Amino acid sequence: MIEVEHLSYHYGSYCAVDDISFCLAQGEIVALIGPNGAGKSTTMKVLTTLLRPESGRVCVAGYEVGERPMEVRRRLGYLPETNPLYEDMLVYDALRSVASQRGVEDGDGCVVEAAGLCGLCEVMHRPIETLSRGYRQRVGIAQAILHRPEVLILDEATTGLDPNQIMEIRDLIVEIGRERTVLISTHILQEVSAIANRVIVMNAGRIVADGSLEKLLSELGERLGRRATVEELFRATTLGLGVEGAKR
């Protein structure tokens, strides 16, 4: 569903993404993690066609993002970190408007389906501005999946939510991921173990770890001589401290 081969991207003389490669299969929920400035946002902007690849090959759902961006957008759902909502609109009207803009043929059917999956049926006729932050995130996710995309990309989907809202959104992402490929960027390490079946760690524009969380933690645990945590994995891979640094 997502294929990235030798992707690089510069902002002037600064290398934000440095020759990275990875593939995501259908049905995978993959967490993309790393410190600020690691290259995560730039990578996601390329995947969502907001930036054109500078070098390398990037395909989403079988289409190259630099050559067929409109075909990619038809098959891609995206929720940016700043959730784009018209707060004075009713939830139903906002979803119906997005369906119309996307040219969805069965607009009403898709709205009902997305609202049901995202738990919005009881608030469909309320103004978005009256909803809690958790419900606003649900509206954002519903907008992203209205057109039944094959691939869903979420950037910091649970930032700013309370613990109950975080668990609700996590459950929703897991449910959506049963039929779609999901790539989620997050700074919340507990989220990685809660929803992802694979983790990609970026640092200084490069991929420094890629694999199932169980496998990566097991490998680090063998070096530590005990069970490793996600926090220790993050430190060991992004700070270059090795085993001793991971222990601190």
Side-chain angles (χ1 to χ4, degrees), residues 3 20 25 30 78 83 92 96 98 106 117 127 149 161 163 182 193 200-201 209 216 231:
E3 300 173 65
I20 66 170
V30 179
Y78 176 47
N83 192 352
Y92 172 83
R96 194 64 183 84
V98 171
D106 181 21
L117 182 57
L161 303 184
V182 179
S193 55
I200 296 174
V201 187
L216 294 176
E231 289 78 6

Side-chain angles (χ1 to χ4, degrees), residues 47-58:
L47 290 172
T48 56
T49 76
L50 297 177
L51 292 176
R52 185 183 179 90
E54 186 177 274
S55 64
R57 177 175 175 270
V58 180

